[in-house]
Amino acid sequence: MLGRSITRNSILLAVFAACTTALIAGTHLLTKDDIAEQKRRAEERALLQIIPKSRHNNSMLDDTIAVGPQDAELGLRKDKQIYVARENGDVVAVIIPAVARDGYSGDIELIVGVNRDGTIAGVRALAQRETPGLGDKVDLKKSNWMLSFNGRSLQNPTLAGWAVKKDDGIFDQFTGATITPRAVVAAILRVLQFAATNRDSLFDISGTNVVPTGDNT
Amino acid sequence: MADVSYKDLSINGLWKNNPAIVQLLGLCPLLAVTGSVVNALGLGLATTMVLIISNTSVSLIRNLVSDAVRLPTFVMIIAAAVTCIELLMQAFTYELFQILGIFLPLITTNCVILGRADGFAARNSLGPSFYDGLIMGLGFACVLAVLGGLRELSGTGALFANMDLLFGSSAANWKVVMYSDYQPFLLAILPPGAFIFTGLIIAVKNLIDDRIKKRQDALKARPVKGAKRVRVTGAVS
C-alpha cells in the first residue's frame, strides 16, 4: 500500500519534471537567437557611443584583441576583448575594457576608447553599484561627468593633473562622493598608460598584430 | 469554495486582500525594484504573467497530484514559468531584464505565487483560478507601480523616465519632469524609502477602509432605528 503510493508519487513527480524541463528547453530554443542578438546589439550600442559609425567602417565586434588578468594595468578579473575600429583597414581607435577595483562598493567596469593619437575618444561605465544619487554619477544617464575625459591624454593634463580636484588634479569629484571618481580617474590613467606602452601592437603600427600582454614593454 | 463570484475575486485581489499591502507577501522585490515606475511595472507584469500561468496549470492538475507531492509539483511549475518569462524578457526587453537582474528569477520565491497556487488554484476550477491569478497579479503590480511612482517623483522630481525600456522607442519621451531644478532626495530612492512609502500606502488604505466602514455602519443603523416605533425622546431619524 505504502509502496504503491510511493511509486505513484515518484512517477508523477518524474513526469512533471520531464514536462517542465521540456517546456523550458522549448522556450530556450525559441528565444536563443533573439537573446544572442540582443546581447550583441547592447554591446555594439555601447561601442558606437564612443566611436560613432562615421569614424570607422569595420565591425568592431568582430575585430578584437584578447586581454585578460595578465594585463595588470587594466585590472580585469576575467578575459575580455579590446575592440578595434578601423577605417579602410587603418586602426583609428581602440576600445579598451578596464575595471576600477577600488570603487566605493565593488568593481566599476569601464570601457575606454583611445584614439590613434593617444587622446580619449570616450569613457563609459558598463557596470557599477555605486551609491544611487552620489557615486552613480559615473553613469552617463545620471550625469555628464564621464564626458569630461573626452579629448584628454597623457600629455593633457600632465601626470600630476590626473587626479580629482581634492587631490590637486583637474577632474571634478562629486558632492559627497570622492572615492568613486578617484577610482575612475586612476583606472582611466592606467588604461592610457597601457595604450601608450602597447601603442605599436594596438594600432597596428609595425604592421604586425601582436597580442599585447603586460610584459611586452 | 464551490461558488466563487468574479466580483468578489476582483475586490479581494485589488483591495480587500491585496497581496502586497494586506497579505504583505513578496516584500523583497517590492522594496528592491520600486525605485522607478518602469522597473516596478516590469516586475509587476512579469509577476502577473507567472501568477496566471502557475494558477492555470495548478488548477488543471489539481485532481492528479496527491497531497504528498503537491508542493514539489507546484514549485516545479512555478520555477518553469519563471524561467520561461525570464528567457522571453531577455529576448524582447533586454535592458529591462538587465535592470531587474536577480529579482526576475527570484519571482520563484515570491510567496504570493505559491500562496495563490496552494490556497486558491488547488481547490478551484480553471476559470476562477485563471482570473484569480490575473487579479492578484494586477493588485500586486498596481501597488508596485504606485510605490515606484511615489519614490521616483520624490527621489528625482520626475515621473515615467526610461519607459521605452518596456514599451518600445515610442515611449522614450513619456518622461514628465515635475520640478526642473530638483535636488535628488536620496532617502526615497534608497531601500529605507521603500519601507517608508509602503507604510504610508498601507496607512492610506486603512484610512479609506475606516471611512467606508463608518459609512456602512451608519447606513446599517438607520433602517433598524426606523423600524422601531417612534421615540419621543432623542433625535428622530
Side-chain angles (χ1 to χ4, degrees):
Chain A
M1 191 53 197
L2 183 69
R4 262 188 60 193
S5 120
I6 291 176
T7 319
R8 185 175 177 274
N9 284 341
S10 330
I11 292 176
L12 204 71
L13 265 185
V15 169
F16 271 109
C19 289
T20 47
T21 314
L23 185 73
I24 293 173
T27 319
H28 170 69
L29 284 179
L30 280 176
T31 53
K32 198 174 58 178
D33 295 340
D34 280 315
I35 292 173
E37 176 66 27
Q38 288 274 10
K39 276 190 179 153
R40 213 182 132 89
R41 228 184 289 164
E43 230 177 308
E44 194 174 23
R45 251 197 311 269
L47 296 182
L48 286 178
Q49 273 182 12
I50 294 182
I51 302 170
K53 272 226 158 70
S54 55
R55 287 193 54 203
H56 70 104
N57 55 11
N58 68 327
S59 164
M60 280 191 278
L61 284 178
D62 300 316
D63 200 340
T64 59
I65 303 171
V67 282
Q70 73 274 10
D71 303 291
E73 294 102 317
L74 302 182
L76 300 172
R77 293 194 194 268
K78 51 187 177 188
D79 287 336
K80 288 265 175 104
Q81 279 116 29
I82 292 177
Y83 298 98
V84 183
R86 293 170 196 271
E87 183 152 68
N88 305 326
D90 294 331
V91 181
V92 290
V94 288
I95 295 179
I96 304 173
V99 172
R101 293 188 180 188
D102 40 3
Y104 189 72
S105 38
D107 290 357
I108 306 170
E109 283 183 42
L110 302 167
I111 47 174
V112 183
V114 182
N115 292 323
R116 196 184 177 90
D117 60 3
T119 55
I120 290 178
V123 187
R124 294 291 181 279
L126 291 185
Q128 50 88 16
R129 291 186 300 273
E130 302 302 297
T131 322
L134 294 176
D136 70 343
K137 295 201 178 85
V138 295
D139 195 334
L140 204 57
K141 282 186 205 128
K142 309 272 163 63
S143 150
N144 283 335
W145 185 73
M146 274 301 193
L147 300 179
S148 67
F149 292 100
N150 290 0
R152 299 288 180 188
S153 70
L154 279 180
Q155 287 78 42
N156 169 31
T158 51
L159 198 58
W162 270 97
V164 293
K165 282 186 176 154
K166 207 176 191 175
D167 303 337
D168 300 323
I170 66 151
F171 296 103
D172 279 325
Q173 62 260 7
F174 316 136
T175 323
T178 318
I179 295 173
T180 311
R182 201 180 267 162
V184 171
V185 170
I188 294 172
L189 175 63
R190 286 197 298 272
V191 170
L192 282 179
Q193 285 162 344
F194 170 85
T197 316
N198 300 292
R199 187 170 144 72
D200 292 353
S201 53
L202 281 177
F203 294 96
D204 216 358
I205 285 171
S206 55
T208 48
N209 205 343
V210 194
V211 175
T213 51
D215 48 39
N216 66 346
T217 45
Chain B
M1 273 201 262
D3 269 329
V4 275
S5 89
Y6 286 92
K7 194 183 151 208
D8 285 350
L9 281 182
S10 312
I11 296 173
N12 255 324
L14 293 177
W15 188 263
K16 226 172 86 189
N17 209 4
N18 186 296
I21 55 172
V22 179
Q23 303 179 57
L24 294 175
L25 294 174
L27 278 188
C28 167
L30 182 88
L31 301 173
V33 301
T34 51
S36 71
V37 176
V38 67
N39 295 2
L41 260 186
L43 192 85
L45 292 179
T47 310
T48 308
M49 281 305 293
V50 174
L51 257 170
I52 293 174
I53 296 175
S54 75
N55 260 15
T56 313
S57 353
V58 163
S59 168
L60 279 175
I61 57 143
R62 71 184 189 281
N63 295 326
L64 238 94
V65 286
S66 57
D67 265 5
V69 290
R70 197 182 73 231
L71 287 179
T73 340
F74 293 173
V75 171
M76 215 144 47
I77 290 174
I78 294 167
V82 170
T83 314
C84 290
I85 299 279
E86 196 193 345
L87 285 170
L88 288 171
M89 283 190 75
Q90 205 173 348
F92 299 110
T93 55
Y94 185 73
E95 278 165 321
L96 192 67
F97 162 82
Q98 279 186 316
I99 293 173
L100 294 180
I102 185 69
F103 293 102
L104 216 42
L106 274 184
I107 294 178
T108 317
T109 60
N110 189 330
C111 326
V112 177
I113 295 164
L114 191 61
R116 291 326 285 177
D118 194 39
F120 190 89
R123 282 170 232 161
N124 286 282
S125 53
L126 188 60
S129 296
F130 170 86
Y131 190 72
D132 179 75
L134 175 73
I135 283 296
M136 280 287 165
L138 284 182
F140 188 68
C142 284
V143 174
L144 245 72
V146 170
L147 196 55
L150 285 174
R151 288 179 69 193
E152 191 178 349
L153 185 62
S154 56
T156 65
L159 259 183
F160 307 123
N162 300 325
M163 287 303 263
D164 49 321
L165 296 184
L166 192 61
F167 297 104
S169 49
S170 61
N173 49 9
W174 285 10
K175 181 170 174 176
V176 187
V177 179
M178 298 285 182
Y179 316 96
S180 52
D181 194 26
Y182 191 79
Q183 186 64 36
F185 178 45
L186 208 55
L187 183 70
I189 308 174
L190 291 175
F195 280 104
I196 295 169
F197 280 106
T198 313
L200 287 178
I201 292 179
I202 296 174
V204 169
K205 186 202 173 274
N206 287 348
L207 202 69
I208 297 175
D209 275 349
D210 269 3
R211 286 265 167 83
I212 293 175
K213 196 160 171 265
K214 264 187 200 145
R215 197 171 301 163
Q216 275 173 346
D217 284 351
L219 278 176
K220 230 181 260 167
R222 272 180 199 172
V224 178
K225 264 186 191 168
K228 282 182 185 167
R229 281 197 292 154
V230 178
R231 287 173 62 178
V232 275
T233 54
V236 180
S237 54

